[in-house]
Amino acid sequence: MTDSVEQPSTSASEPSTPASPYSSSLLHPRREPFEHGLLPIPKLIFPDLTQTLTQLKQTLAGRTRVDSATLSESLQISAVHARLVLETLASVLHSESDPLVKALSGEIDSVGADFRDLILFLYIQSYKKLLPRSHKDSAAVADVWPSTSAFDGYLSALSPLQLVRSNSRRFMPSHADEEAHQLSYLQKHIANILSLLAEPVEGEGEGEESLVLTVEGFEHLGFLIQFGDKGSESVPLSQYAPFFANSDPDMPAVPVAAAQVHHWISQTITSALEHVSERISAKENGPPSTSDQDVAMTEACASSLKASPTPRGSSFIEGISKASFVKHALELRGSSVKVLNCHDSVIYILAPLRYATVYGCSDATIVLGAVGKAVKIEHCERVHVIAAAKRVCIANCRECVFFLGVNQQPLIVGDNHKLQVAPYNTYYSELEEHMAEAGIEATINRWNESVTLGVVDPHDSLSHPAGTSEVQSETATCLEPEHFTNFLIPSWFGGETCGSTKDNPFPLPDIYMASQRRNQKNLGELKHLLREAPLEENRKRELSCALHLLFKDWLYASGNIRQLYCLQGD
């Protein structure tokens, strides 16, 4: 089967399908698989995609779930990569009731994945991310892009962050651009995707005409699409489809011809694309909105900036410079946050989240409360990220330090330089409640067990020319214990409710705990020496004043004085 199949024609004599009560809802791609579900593992990029996955489907016939051992054997990949596939799939699944989502860290290998979700996950490994735009025209949405590297020529001396800056925020793909790109990918590939979910009818020959979709198979399309502005897990996907929505709830739904499903969903995607194109056109031809403009990098406190919610449950925290910025759970709308292009700042996001993205930041400290699905950090320089999370992916960063409380092995991909990892090093009063809500286990911290994949990301249109995807990315080193310090989150945040967390919930490794105790002991001895110094009272006052002045000088020189002014101002 080829990568595109013509839509089946319908005649005027075909019976009309009754409308679904939800038929007015607009289709959207689920962004999570495309943003957090792509793995640069060469053996998952199949040259004959549909044929390979059809054969895999036949190999797995009779299995409802696929564990890591079966997956490793079927795809001829290592056990580490097989587990990585299952962990990544679990982080982007659409059904919270799936056993893989509910499995504890030690159970993922044996619980396995539903083979239909697995096949869809493997299919979208063919997806190519959207290129930055170099002009005002709408971005093309073909899913095969020129292979010219952005690091060639005059960009060869630029760091990953400088490369991001060189494109400018207004030329980067917008939320609507990316949605159009994902919809076009689905439009091109939906026939093949449906054929992989469908079942043949005996005695009906071959081809699309002989295939039918059960309601169970159709529901798995929820991995890739959703209806409504926010999506609704309470309404099954089949209720949006006219051929399943009106079936008798007390009787099993009758399977539907794959050609009929293909025709309906192709029309639905086309309507969604037209709607998105109108949004893009209106934005480009109308006056620029605040959210589309570059945010001025001013010497302002964070109170002059704001986190902007997106239509489908995400918040953007964007363009903060030389400031401190705080967001609590009640102040965030949605289950995901994107921190974009923030510089020389301290950002606190003290909330339970499903997904978090940190992109294009420099010289900043970013604290993420509890992220139950996945954190992705891309194109950052000299950034400290403190995160309690189920899963972390780091791509194209340099000179960054990551203080992690993470249940799964951190993933490092792309062109990275001088990365360091360390144990989690902070807390706030509601942290343990937020971790429980997000499903993060404090007893498991795999901060120093990173998995490193290739330098070249086959999904990225801006791939690095330093070789093939087989070339391993630079891995991270462990922060020296003597350089490890606790990070204190100020306790004067207004409006914070009182929680039960009084200390770091993640146990420190012995070597870091010993270093911390040694530092505390040295500090205690220094305080004792200063108190007991054989000096007259006026000399002691002079010494105290000198220490305070030196501390004040350090606050100004390091920029930390802004935290005192900005946060107290909040």
Side-chain angles (χ1 to χ4, degrees):
M1 186 176 288
T2 60
D3 278 345
S4 61
V5 177
E6 294 296 324
Q7 297 178 12
S9 59
T10 56
S11 65
S13 61
E14 288 185 0
S16 59
T17 308
S20 160
Y22 303 100
S23 58
S24 61
S25 297
L26 195 66
L27 179 145
H28 297 280
R30 279 190 73 240
R31 299 177 64 87
E32 293 84 2
F34 299 106
E35 293 183 357
H36 296 276
L38 303 179
L39 292 172
I41 298 176
K43 287 188 177 181
L44 300 186
I45 313 297
F46 308 117
D48 48 353
L49 178 60
T50 307
Q51 181 181 349
T52 302
L53 292 180
T54 300
Q55 292 173 350
L56 179 63
K57 177 182 174 181
Q58 294 168 353
T59 302
L60 299 175
R63 296 176 181 267
T64 55
R65 304 196 71 82
V66 184
D67 59 22
S68 62
T70 303
L71 182 61
S72 175
E73 181 181 353
S74 301
L75 297 179
Q76 295 297 296
I77 59 177
S78 69
V80 171
H81 286 176
R83 181 182 175 87
L84 184 60
V85 167
L86 293 181
E87 289 177 341
T88 306
L89 174 57
S91 73
V92 295
L93 271 177
H94 58 298
S95 173
E96 289 299 310
S97 62
D98 190 280
L100 187 62
V101 176
K102 297 165 69 175
L104 299 176
S105 297
E107 301 171 342
I108 286 178
D109 284 332
S110 58
V111 168
D114 186 292
F115 81 94
R116 291 162 293 194
D117 293 329
L118 176 62
I119 284 175
L120 294 183
F121 175 83
L122 294 173
Y123 195 102
I124 66 166
Q125 300 306 312
S126 66
Y127 178 75
K128 289 278 188 180
K129 298 174 187 174
L130 185 59
L131 271 175
R133 293 183 293 164
S134 57
H135 50 76
K136 195 177 180 181
D137 294 337
S138 296
V141 289
D143 68 325
V144 178
W145 295 90
S147 59
T148 305
S149 170
F151 289 84
D152 291 341
Y154 78 95
L155 290 178
S156 61
L158 297 185
S159 70
L161 178 59
Q162 290 169 322
L163 174 62
V164 170
R165 287 175 174 170
S166 72
N167 286 308
S168 176
R169 177 72 180 111
R170 59 182 167 272
F171 295 138
M172 296 301 289
S174 69
H175 190 90
D177 291 330
E178 290 182 339
E179 183 163 330
H181 184 58
Q182 291 159 8
L183 283 170
S184 291
Y185 173 85
L186 293 174
Q187 184 180 55
K188 178 177 179 179
H189 294 277
I190 192 62
N192 293 333
I193 289 170
L194 289 174
S195 74
L196 291 168
L197 292 175
E199 300 296 336
V201 177
E202 291 186 13
E204 294 292 331
E206 297 181 356
E208 190 180 46
E209 295 76 14
S210 69
L211 298 175
V212 296
L213 247 78
T214 64
V215 66
E216 293 83 5
F218 183 81
E219 288 291 350
H220 286 273
L221 276 177
F223 179 72
L224 297 174
I225 62 173
Q226 64 187 32
F227 285 87
D229 285 340
K230 295 183 179 180
S232 176
E233 295 180 0
S234 62
V235 180
L237 186 69
S238 57
Q239 294 304 300
Y240 293 93
F243 34 78
F244 287 127
N246 296 289
S247 57
D248 186 342
D250 297 324
M251 296 289 291
V254 177
V256 175
Q260 183 182 354
V261 179
H262 180 209
H263 177 69
W264 172 78
I265 204 165
S266 295
Q267 288 184 321
T268 309
I269 292 174
T270 298
S271 298
L273 265 171
E274 290 172 355
H275 179 79
V276 174
S277 297
E278 290 173 2
R279 282 165 48 201
I280 294 173
S281 177
K283 182 188 72 175
E284 292 182 343
N285 296 328
S289 65
T290 304
S291 61
D292 292 327
Q293 295 174 342
D294 290 337
V295 180
M297 299 303 180
T298 60
E299 280 276 1
C301 289
S303 57
S304 65
L305 301 164
K306 64 180 180 179
S308 57
T310 58
R312 285 193 288 134
S314 298
S315 291
F316 280 170
I317 295 173
E318 187 170 9
I320 295 174
S321 179
K322 298 183 178 179
S324 294
F325 186 90
V326 185
K327 281 292 176 183
H328 297 287
L330 296 177
E331 299 171 297
L332 289 171
R333 295 295 177 264
S335 58
S336 65
V337 164
K338 293 188 176 182
V339 181
L340 308 174
N341 302 316
C342 295
H343 310 285
D344 197 11
S345 298
V346 181
I347 297 169
Y348 305 86
I349 305 171
L350 309 182
L353 301 165
R354 289 164 64 87
Y355 298 94
T357 299
V358 179
Y359 185 92
C361 298
S362 66
D363 301 292
T365 296
I366 298 165
V367 182
L368 300 173
V371 186
K373 294 292 187 180
V375 175
K376 191 164 190 179
I377 304 133
E378 289 187 278
H379 293 291
C380 291
E381 287 187 358
R382 299 177 302 280
V383 167
H384 287 195
V385 176
I386 304 172
K390 181 72 68 67
R391 172 177 181 76
V392 172
C393 178
I394 301 162
N396 303 310
C397 295
R398 61 175 60 193
E399 299 179 44
C400 296
V401 185
F402 305 94
F403 298 88
L404 303 177
V406 59
N407 290 168
Q408 297 175 6
Q409 292 175 276
L411 180 62
I412 298 177
V413 300
D415 186 24
N416 300 285
H417 300 283
K418 297 182 179 178
L419 304 184
Q420 293 180 291
V421 290
Y424 193 75
N425 68 336
T426 192
Y427 70 95
Y428 57 96
S429 67
E430 293 178 298
L431 177 58
E432 287 171 302
E433 286 87 343
H434 291 171
M435 287 172 58
E437 183 177 339
I440 298 169
E441 302 171 67
T443 56
I444 300 174
N445 192 359
R446 309 188 73 180
W447 63 275
N448 61 339
E449 302 176 33
S450 58
V451 175
T452 305
L453 296 181
V455 169
V456 175
D457 184 351
H459 311 105
D460 196 340
S461 302
L462 301 178
S463 294
H464 195 283
T468 68
S469 54
E470 298 283 3
V471 178
Q472 194 176 59
S473 177
E474 181 180 316
T475 190
T477 60
C478 293
L479 183 72
E480 293 293 335
E482 57 266 28
H483 296 151
F484 179 83
T485 57
N486 286 327
F487 183 83
L488 179 63
I489 296 177
S491 59
W492 58 73
F493 293 148
E496 184 182 6
T497 59
C498 184
S500 61
T501 305
K502 306 298 182 185
D503 202 354
N504 183 351
F506 292 94
L508 284 180
D510 291 343
I511 189 171
Y512 287 90
M513 180 62 76
S515 177
Q516 193 174 71
R517 287 171 177 165
R518 194 161 50 245
N519 291 337
Q520 290 172 345
K521 180 182 177 183
N522 292 340
L523 178 61
E525 290 176 350
L526 179 59
K527 288 180 177 179
H528 178 75
L529 286 173
L530 291 174
R531 281 197 303 267
E532 302 300 325
L535 297 173
E536 298 176 0
E537 284 302 317
N538 61 331
R539 290 293 186 182
K540 284 187 176 182
R541 284 194 295 271
E542 289 176 5
L543 177 59
S544 178
C545 289
L547 290 173
H548 279 91
L549 285 173
L550 289 171
F551 179 62
K552 188 175 180 181
D553 289 344
W554 173 82
L555 283 173
Y556 278 101
S558 64
N560 286 305
I561 192 68
R562 280 196 306 272
Q563 290 191 67
L564 299 180
Y565 288 133
C566 291
L567 292 176
Q568 286 178 328
D570 288 344

